[in-house]
Amino acid sequence: MKNEWPLWEIFIRGQHGMSHRHVGSLHAPDAEMAIKNARDVYTRRNEGVSIWVVEARHIAATAPGEKGPLFEPSESKVYRHPTFFDIPDEVGHM
Amino acid sequence: MAVDQEKLLQFLLRQGDNTLILGHRVSEWCGHSPILEEDIALANTALDLIGQTQMWLGYAADVQGEGKSADDLAFLRDAWDFRNVLLTELPNGDFGRTLLRQFLFDAFQSVLMGRLMKSSDETVAAIAAKASKEVAYHVERSADTVVGLGDGTEESHARMQEALNYLWPYVGEFFASDDVDAAMAEAGIAPDPASLREEYDALVGKVLADATLTIPASKYAHKGGRTGYMHTEHLGHLLTSMQWLQRAYPGCEW
Amino acid sequence: MYAQLIKTARSGITSREDMSEQEREFQDKIDNDIKIEPRDWMPDDYRATLIRQMGQHAHSEVVGQLPEGNWITRAPTLERKAILLAKVQDEAGHGLYLYSAAETLGETRDELVRLLHEGRMKYSSIFNYPTLNWADIGAVGWLVDGAAIVNQVALQRTSYGPYSRAMIRICKEESFHARQGYHAMMKMAFGSPAQKKMAQDALNRLWFPAMMMFGPHDSDSTHSEQSMAWKIKVKSNDELRQQFVDQTIPQIEYLGLDLPDEGIKWNEERGHYDFSDPDWDEFMDVIRGNGPCNVDRLNDRVAAWDNGQWVRDGLMAHARKKAAAKVAAE
């Protein structure tokens, strides 16, 4: 059972010009085959126009324990959101 | 100039029977491939081939003008009526042989479809235009796999060389032109297959060299499939399962 | 279901008082429908139970390719062949998604496959029944996928993020499976007398095995309580079975086929159909390896895997050579 093909994370850009989105993972011996496998596995229903693959071990991630310090400070910055500001209707669309 | 309809029919059957029989063979792998990713990819190839079959045999049935459908042609003809090259009906063997057979076929299709897209027959050109995109992917994938397995481990190399030795004598039949091909070429419907050999050899030669495989020296070519004169024994067994329901319960809708 | 008799790694259910603070936080998240993600803390038993359940689910998809794959080369029309092949291919895809979800917990696919091949993990009992006539293909899509969907729709709400996301994707793809099956059944049931006979035969043979897919009665299913609390399991076996029966009876009647169970009767008081119990002794036999196809199914999977070893090794060796050549060139 040695020699397992590496695991790749697959990102696909859908039909409508959105960013690439993580859709799942698969195994492949190298990046070229990972792209081909992703085409065969994850675009069977016409889901994509572009594929990115990244070997899973190369992904760095935030630790769940850091969630508070990393993300909570932005909760209080309500002025970053357009709805914070009341603009009179007569000014028109802004 | 009106082309001989019987010859056009023969040409279309050659196209449709190739994809029908090979698609059938490839579909036999479903659920039994070496790894899920390959299982899924092979099923995609088979699905493309079945789709191409529906187009080729559908047009063949129109040209025949007897009110038949693509299904009638696929399920109700006997072995001597089939016009596929022998290569496509050979048993799958191991995964390596299946992929090598696929590559040898894909390479031919990739050269041929490029020409057929410029066919004077609009329907042929339209079918080829759709098929050519599928074929372009097939040949890329099967070529990569052939290279990977040929230049992989000692065992995979040995198996691929054995597969090539077995399959190579069936390659020549692609290019065995006859009066049907001459009529197609004259009408601008399809190229004379013999004229595609050089391009084919260049493509296949490069991939097989990258795969560190040696093309057998013998120039001998089996033939008899595309004329229907003499198929292998394998075709009858394939048709026995493929056609069983239609034969046992004729006239039903499924 | 595709995951039957999953033994929860913990017996009984842990009360709040017996939980560590970490576990209480974990349970709060689940109670508030916040998904658990791969790197989040989780009790070892939760992890182990999930791996078992997702693994068995994945194995079921892959072994489930075999009974339907049995008819790909005999499909009666080009269109039916394409539909069936696409459907069986989807099962391979679903197996792949589920193995991937299990891999987020650090269990490799190769390891799960090894456990299956050594008989240490199971797959759904339903796939140990044979497909004997073409109507079985319709019946499998309609009844087996139909039963699976009942469970999988519920599982979209499961607590483990990657499992839930896999189920969402699978449900989206599965919606065509039951419909194509029923469509094929309609052709058979409304076709020639011989076709109708095939349809009835398929329904009669597959009905009770489909009922068994949901697993034993809740009263005999000792391990579900903790799994329900963890939202690894979302609805009980009997609840799901009843839902399946209720939705399927009118579909049988529409086809004009005889009901496969004399005990099926509308119960006005309950607002549900009554029905007979499947033979639970037969179920246990199948689970223990004595179903009609257990040995063949596993042999087929082991053969596919073993015969593919040289292919996986060959392609990996080539990739390593290519990578080494690239490094050398830089």
PDB file of all heavy atoms in Angstrom, chain B residues 146-171:
ATOM      1  N   VAL B 146       0.252   6.591 -21.759  1.00  0.00           N
ATOM      2  CA  VAL B 146       1.184   5.674 -22.444  1.00  0.00           C
ATOM      3  C   VAL B 146       2.630   6.045 -22.101  1.00  0.00           C
ATOM      4  O   VAL B 146       3.451   5.172 -21.799  1.00  0.00           O
ATOM      5  CB  VAL B 146       0.938   5.704 -23.968  1.00  0.00           C
ATOM      6  CG1 VAL B 146       2.091   5.072 -24.725  1.00  0.00           C
ATOM      7  CG2 VAL B 146      -0.379   4.995 -24.296  1.00  0.00           C
ATOM      8  N   VAL B 147       2.924   7.328 -22.121  1.00  0.00           N
ATOM      9  CA  VAL B 147       4.285   7.762 -21.774  1.00  0.00           C
ATOM     10  C   VAL B 147       4.589   7.408 -20.312  1.00  0.00           C
ATOM     11  O   VAL B 147       5.655   6.870 -19.995  1.00  0.00           O
ATOM     12  CB  VAL B 147       4.462   9.282 -22.015  1.00  0.00           C
ATOM     13  CG1 VAL B 147       5.794   9.771 -21.447  1.00  0.00           C
ATOM     14  CG2 VAL B 147       4.366   9.593 -23.502  1.00  0.00           C
ATOM     15  N   GLY B 148       3.647   7.692 -19.443  1.00  0.00           N
ATOM     16  CA  GLY B 148       3.856   7.424 -18.022  1.00  0.00           C
ATOM     17  C   GLY B 148       4.104   5.953 -17.741  1.00  0.00           C
ATOM     18  O   GLY B 148       4.988   5.596 -16.952  1.00  0.00           O
ATOM     19  N   LEU B 149       3.334   5.102 -18.381  1.00  0.00           N
ATOM     20  CA  LEU B 149       3.486   3.666 -18.121  1.00  0.00           C
ATOM     21  C   LEU B 149       4.696   3.087 -18.856  1.00  0.00           C
ATOM     22  O   LEU B 149       5.399   2.220 -18.338  1.00  0.00           O
ATOM     23  CB  LEU B 149       2.215   2.919 -18.531  1.00  0.00           C
ATOM     24  CG  LEU B 149       0.992   3.200 -17.642  1.00  0.00           C
ATOM     25  CD1 LEU B 149      -0.254   2.532 -18.218  1.00  0.00           C
ATOM     26  CD2 LEU B 149       1.237   2.742 -16.210  1.00  0.00           C
ATOM     27  N   GLY B 150       4.950   3.586 -20.083  1.00  0.00           N
ATOM     28  CA  GLY B 150       6.123   3.105 -20.826  1.00  0.00           C
ATOM     29  C   GLY B 150       7.404   3.471 -20.100  1.00  0.00           C
ATOM     30  O   GLY B 150       8.319   2.655 -19.964  1.00  0.00           O
ATOM     31  N   ASP B 151       7.451   4.693 -19.597  1.00  0.00           N
ATOM     32  CA  ASP B 151       8.628   5.195 -18.901  1.00  0.00           C
ATOM     33  C   ASP B 151       8.379   5.212 -17.389  1.00  0.00           C
ATOM     34  O   ASP B 151       8.703   6.167 -16.705  1.00  0.00           O
ATOM     35  CB  ASP B 151       8.953   6.610 -19.406  1.00  0.00           C
ATOM     36  CG  ASP B 151      10.215   7.163 -18.756  1.00  0.00           C
ATOM     37  OD1 ASP B 151      11.130   6.376 -18.491  1.00  0.00           O
ATOM     38  OD2 ASP B 151      10.252   8.381 -18.487  1.00  0.00           O
ATOM     39  N   GLY B 152       7.758   4.171 -16.870  1.00  0.00           N
ATOM     40  CA  GLY B 152       7.463   4.119 -15.439  1.00  0.00           C
ATOM     41  C   GLY B 152       8.397   3.169 -14.725  1.00  0.00           C
ATOM     42  O   GLY B 152       9.586   3.451 -14.574  1.00  0.00           O
ATOM     43  N   THR B 153       7.846   2.048 -14.295  1.00  0.00           N
ATOM     44  CA  THR B 153       8.685   1.023 -13.655  1.00  0.00           C
ATOM     45  C   THR B 153       9.103  -0.002 -14.701  1.00  0.00           C
ATOM     46  O   THR B 153       8.606   0.001 -15.834  1.00  0.00           O
ATOM     47  CB  THR B 153       7.891   0.287 -12.563  1.00  0.00           C
ATOM     48  OG1 THR B 153       6.761  -0.331 -13.183  1.00  0.00           O
ATOM     49  CG2 THR B 153       7.433   1.236 -11.470  1.00  0.00           C
ATOM     50  N   GLU B 154       9.988  -0.892 -14.287  1.00  0.00           N
ATOM     51  CA  GLU B 154      10.416  -1.960 -15.184  1.00  0.00           C
ATOM     52  C   GLU B 154       9.202  -2.783 -15.634  1.00  0.00           C
ATOM     53  O   GLU B 154       9.055  -3.128 -16.796  1.00  0.00           O
ATOM     54  CB  GLU B 154      11.391  -2.866 -14.413  1.00  0.00           C
ATOM     55  CG  GLU B 154      12.546  -3.374 -15.239  1.00  0.00           C
ATOM     56  CD  GLU B 154      13.554  -4.058 -14.325  1.00  0.00           C
ATOM     57  OE1 GLU B 154      14.250  -3.340 -13.561  1.00  0.00           O
ATOM     58  OE2 GLU B 154      13.587  -5.290 -14.352  1.00  0.00           O
ATOM     59  N   GLU B 155       8.343  -3.081 -14.647  1.00  0.00           N
ATOM     60  CA  GLU B 155       7.178  -3.906 -14.974  1.00  0.00           C
ATOM     61  C   GLU B 155       6.227  -3.186 -15.922  1.00  0.00           C
ATOM     62  O   GLU B 155       5.757  -3.768 -16.904  1.00  0.00           O
ATOM     63  CB  GLU B 155       6.404  -4.301 -13.702  1.00  0.00           C
ATOM     64  CG  GLU B 155       5.191  -5.153 -14.056  1.00  0.00           C
ATOM     65  CD  GLU B 155       4.324  -5.565 -12.872  1.00  0.00           C
ATOM     66  OE1 GLU B 155       4.598  -5.114 -11.746  1.00  0.00           O
ATOM     67  OE2 GLU B 155       3.376  -6.337 -13.102  1.00  0.00           O
ATOM     68  N   SER B 156       5.983  -1.900 -15.654  1.00  0.00           N
ATOM     69  CA  SER B 156       5.020  -1.206 -16.514  1.00  0.00           C
ATOM     70  C   SER B 156       5.601  -1.066 -17.923  1.00  0.00           C
ATOM     71  O   SER B 156       4.876  -1.177 -18.918  1.00  0.00           O
ATOM     72  CB  SER B 156       4.622   0.152 -15.912  1.00  0.00           C
ATOM     73  OG  SER B 156       5.657   1.098 -15.999  1.00  0.00           O
ATOM     74  N   HIS B 157       6.901  -0.851 -17.999  1.00  0.00           N
ATOM     75  CA  HIS B 157       7.534  -0.768 -19.313  1.00  0.00           C
ATOM     76  C   HIS B 157       7.375  -2.082 -20.078  1.00  0.00           C
ATOM     77  O   HIS B 157       6.991  -2.094 -21.256  1.00  0.00           O
ATOM     78  CB  HIS B 157       9.025  -0.420 -19.174  1.00  0.00           C
ATOM     79  CG  HIS B 157       9.755  -0.430 -20.484  1.00  0.00           C
ATOM     80  ND1 HIS B 157       9.761   0.652 -21.337  1.00  0.00           N
ATOM     81  CD2 HIS B 157      10.466  -1.412 -21.105  1.00  0.00           C
ATOM     82  CE1 HIS B 157      10.463   0.347 -22.425  1.00  0.00           C
ATOM     83  NE2 HIS B 157      10.895  -0.906 -22.306  1.00  0.00           N
ATOM     84  N   ALA B 158       7.659  -3.182 -19.396  1.00  0.00           N
ATOM     85  CA  ALA B 158       7.582  -4.486 -20.058  1.00  0.00           C
ATOM     86  C   ALA B 158       6.163  -4.773 -20.540  1.00  0.00           C
ATOM     87  O   ALA B 158       5.943  -5.267 -21.651  1.00  0.00           O
ATOM     88  CB  ALA B 158       8.051  -5.579 -19.094  1.00  0.00           C
ATOM     89  N   ARG B 159       5.192  -4.435 -19.696  1.00  0.00           N
ATOM     90  CA  ARG B 159       3.808  -4.684 -20.092  1.00  0.00           C
ATOM     91  C   ARG B 159       3.401  -3.833 -21.293  1.00  0.00           C
ATOM     92  O   ARG B 159       2.665  -4.283 -22.174  1.00  0.00           O
ATOM     93  CB  ARG B 159       2.865  -4.380 -18.924  1.00  0.00           C
ATOM     94  CG  ARG B 159       2.831  -5.476 -17.859  1.00  0.00           C
ATOM     95  CD  ARG B 159       1.958  -4.986 -16.710  1.00  0.00           C
ATOM     96  NE  ARG B 159       1.835  -5.924 -15.616  1.00  0.00           N
ATOM     97  CZ  ARG B 159       0.783  -6.741 -15.447  1.00  0.00           C
ATOM     98  NH1 ARG B 159      -0.185  -6.755 -16.329  1.00  0.00           N
ATOM     99  NH2 ARG B 159       0.719  -7.547 -14.401  1.00  0.00           N
ATOM    100  N   MET B 160       3.871  -2.591 -21.312  1.00  0.00           N
ATOM    101  CA  MET B 160       3.501  -1.713 -22.428  1.00  0.00           C
ATOM    102  C   MET B 160       4.170  -2.166 -23.723  1.00  0.00           C
ATOM    103  O   MET B 160       3.579  -2.093 -24.798  1.00  0.00           O
ATOM    104  CB  MET B 160       3.874  -0.257 -22.122  1.00  0.00           C
ATOM    105  CG  MET B 160       3.083   0.360 -20.976  1.00  0.00           C
ATOM    106  SD  MET B 160       1.295   0.212 -21.169  1.00  0.00           S
ATOM    107  CE  MET B 160       0.957   1.550 -22.302  1.00  0.00           C
ATOM    108  N   GLN B 161       5.417  -2.638 -23.622  1.00  0.00           N
ATOM    109  CA  GLN B 161       6.093  -3.122 -24.829  1.00  0.00           C
ATOM    110  C   GLN B 161       5.355  -4.351 -25.371  1.00  0.00           C
ATOM    111  O   GLN B 161       5.154  -4.495 -26.584  1.00  0.00           O
ATOM    112  CB  GLN B 161       7.558  -3.466 -24.519  1.00  0.00           C
ATOM    113  CG  GLN B 161       8.377  -3.839 -25.756  1.00  0.00           C
ATOM    114  CD  GLN B 161       8.424  -2.701 -26.786  1.00  0.00           C
ATOM    115  OE1 GLN B 161       8.799  -1.573 -26.471  1.00  0.00           O
ATOM    116  NE2 GLN B 161       8.020  -2.991 -28.017  1.00  0.00           N
ATOM    117  N   GLU B 162       4.925  -5.203 -24.453  1.00  0.00           N
ATOM    118  CA  GLU B 162       4.179  -6.397 -24.863  1.00  0.00           C
ATOM    119  C   GLU B 162       2.866  -5.991 -25.549  1.00  0.00           C
ATOM    120  O   GLU B 162       2.477  -6.560 -26.570  1.00  0.00           O
ATOM    121  CB  GLU B 162       3.886  -7.234 -23.614  1.00  0.00           C
ATOM    122  CG  GLU B 162       3.509  -8.661 -23.891  1.00  0.00           C
ATOM    123  CD  GLU B 162       3.178  -9.380 -22.589  1.00  0.00           C
ATOM    124  OE1 GLU B 162       3.879  -9.134 -21.574  1.00  0.00           O
ATOM    125  OE2 GLU B 162       2.208 -10.156 -22.585  1.00  0.00           O
ATOM    126  N   ALA B 163       2.209  -4.990 -24.966  1.00  0.00           N
ATOM    127  CA  ALA B 163       0.953  -4.507 -25.550  1.00  0.00           C
ATOM    128  C   ALA B 163       1.199  -3.938 -26.947  1.00  0.00           C
ATOM    129  O   ALA B 163       0.428  -4.185 -27.885  1.00  0.00           O
ATOM    130  CB  ALA B 163       0.328  -3.439 -24.649  1.00  0.00           C
ATOM    131  N   LEU B 164       2.296  -3.210 -27.098  1.00  0.00           N
ATOM    132  CA  LEU B 164       2.593  -2.616 -28.407  1.00  0.00           C
ATOM    133  C   LEU B 164       2.876  -3.712 -29.435  1.00  0.00           C
ATOM    134  O   LEU B 164       2.411  -3.643 -30.582  1.00  0.00           O
ATOM    135  CB  LEU B 164       3.782  -1.650 -28.291  1.00  0.00           C
ATOM    136  CG  LEU B 164       4.143  -0.897 -29.566  1.00  0.00           C
ATOM    137  CD1 LEU B 164       2.964  -0.065 -30.084  1.00  0.00           C
ATOM    138  CD2 LEU B 164       5.358   0.009 -29.344  1.00  0.00           C
ATOM    139  N   ASN B 165       3.615  -4.733 -29.005  1.00  0.00           N
ATOM    140  CA  ASN B 165       3.904  -5.834 -29.927  1.00  0.00           C
ATOM    141  C   ASN B 165       2.608  -6.506 -30.394  1.00  0.00           C
ATOM    142  O   ASN B 165       2.470  -6.898 -31.552  1.00  0.00           O
ATOM    143  CB  ASN B 165       4.801  -6.876 -29.258  1.00  0.00           C
ATOM    144  CG  ASN B 165       6.164  -6.302 -28.903  1.00  0.00           C
ATOM    145  OD1 ASN B 165       6.524  -5.208 -29.365  1.00  0.00           O
ATOM    146  ND2 ASN B 165       6.902  -7.010 -28.069  1.00  0.00           N
ATOM    147  N   TYR B 166       1.660  -6.607 -29.478  1.00  0.00           N
ATOM    148  CA  TYR B 166       0.389  -7.249 -29.819  1.00  0.00           C
ATOM    149  C   TYR B 166      -0.464  -6.372 -30.729  1.00  0.00           C
ATOM    150  O   TYR B 166      -1.090  -6.846 -31.671  1.00  0.00           O
ATOM    151  CB  TYR B 166      -0.371  -7.567 -28.521  1.00  0.00           C
ATOM    152  CG  TYR B 166      -1.745  -8.160 -28.728  1.00  0.00           C
ATOM    153  CD1 TYR B 166      -1.905  -9.494 -29.121  1.00  0.00           C
ATOM    154  CD2 TYR B 166      -2.889  -7.385 -28.544  1.00  0.00           C
ATOM    155  CE1 TYR B 166      -3.171 -10.038 -29.320  1.00  0.00           C
ATOM    156  CE2 TYR B 166      -4.158  -7.924 -28.744  1.00  0.00           C
ATOM    157  CZ  TYR B 166      -4.292  -9.238 -29.134  1.00  0.00           C
ATOM    158  OH  TYR B 166      -5.541  -9.773 -29.325  1.00  0.00           O
ATOM    159  N   LEU B 167      -0.488  -5.075 -30.433  1.00  0.00           N
ATOM    160  CA  LEU B 167      -1.418  -4.183 -31.131  1.00  0.00           C
ATOM    161  C   LEU B 167      -0.901  -3.647 -32.463  1.00  0.00           C
ATOM    162  O   LEU B 167      -1.682  -3.342 -33.363  1.00  0.00           O
ATOM    163  CB  LEU B 167      -1.768  -2.989 -30.226  1.00  0.00           C
ATOM    164  CG  LEU B 167      -2.550  -3.312 -28.959  1.00  0.00           C
ATOM    165  CD1 LEU B 167      -2.630  -2.080 -28.050  1.00  0.00           C
ATOM    166  CD2 LEU B 167      -3.966  -3.801 -29.302  1.00  0.00           C
ATOM    167  N   TRP B 168       0.414  -3.516 -32.563  1.00  0.00           N
ATOM    168  CA  TRP B 168       0.956  -2.804 -33.730  1.00  0.00           C
ATOM    169  C   TRP B 168       0.506  -3.399 -35.071  1.00  0.00           C
ATOM    170  O   TRP B 168       0.177  -2.662 -36.005  1.00  0.00           O
ATOM    171  CB  TRP B 168       2.480  -2.715 -33.639  1.00  0.00           C
ATOM    172  CG  TRP B 168       3.024  -1.782 -34.667  1.00  0.00           C
ATOM    173  CD1 TRP B 168       3.698  -2.110 -35.793  1.00  0.00           C
ATOM    174  CD2 TRP B 168       2.888  -0.352 -34.680  1.00  0.00           C
ATOM    175  NE1 TRP B 168       4.002  -0.985 -36.528  1.00  0.00           N
ATOM    176  CE2 TRP B 168       3.507   0.107 -35.865  1.00  0.00           C
ATOM    177  CE3 TRP B 168       2.287   0.584 -33.824  1.00  0.00           C
ATOM    178  CZ2 TRP B 168       3.558   1.463 -36.202  1.00  0.00           C
ATOM    179  CZ3 TRP B 168       2.339   1.931 -34.171  1.00  0.00           C
ATOM    180  CH2 TRP B 168       2.969   2.349 -35.336  1.00  0.00           C
ATOM    181  N   PRO B 169       0.444  -4.728 -35.207  1.00  0.00           N
ATOM    182  CA  PRO B 169       0.006  -5.280 -36.509  1.00  0.00           C
ATOM    183  C   PRO B 169      -1.419  -4.890 -36.893  1.00  0.00           C
ATOM    184  O   PRO B 169      -1.844  -5.139 -38.021  1.00  0.00           O
ATOM    185  CB  PRO B 169       0.110  -6.799 -36.297  1.00  0.00           C
ATOM    186  CG  PRO B 169       1.071  -6.975 -35.164  1.00  0.00           C
ATOM    187  CD  PRO B 169       0.875  -5.779 -34.274  1.00  0.00           C
ATOM    188  N   TYR B 170      -2.159  -4.311 -35.980  1.00  0.00           N
ATOM    189  CA  TYR B 170      -3.528  -3.892 -36.294  1.00  0.00           C
ATOM    190  C   TYR B 170      -3.614  -2.423 -36.701  1.00  0.00           C
ATOM    191  O   TYR B 170      -4.685  -1.938 -37.055  1.00  0.00           O
ATOM    192  CB  TYR B 170      -4.446  -4.155 -35.102  1.00  0.00           C
ATOM    193  CG  TYR B 170      -4.616  -5.634 -34.811  1.00  0.00           C
ATOM    194  CD1 TYR B 170      -3.801  -6.279 -33.879  1.00  0.00           C
ATOM    195  CD2 TYR B 170      -5.570  -6.380 -35.508  1.00  0.00           C
ATOM    196  CE1 TYR B 170      -3.941  -7.642 -33.638  1.00  0.00           C
ATOM    197  CE2 TYR B 170      -5.723  -7.739 -35.267  1.00  0.00           C
ATOM    198  CZ  TYR B 170      -4.906  -8.366 -34.330  1.00  0.00           C
ATOM    199  OH  TYR B 170      -5.048  -9.702 -34.097  1.00  0.00           O
ATOM    200  N   VAL B 171      -2.490  -1.722 -36.629  1.00  0.00           N
ATOM    201  CA  VAL B 171      -2.508  -0.286 -36.928  1.00  0.00           C
ATOM    202  C   VAL B 171      -2.629  -0.030 -38.431  1.00  0.00           C
ATOM    203  O   VAL B 171      -3.317   0.882 -38.870  1.00  0.00           O
ATOM    204  CB  VAL B 171      -1.241   0.390 -36.343  1.00  0.00           C
ATOM    205  CG1 VAL B 171      -1.043   1.789 -36.923  1.00  0.00           C
ATOM    206  CG2 VAL B 171      -1.338   0.444 -34.821  1.00  0.00           C
TER     207      VAL B 171
END
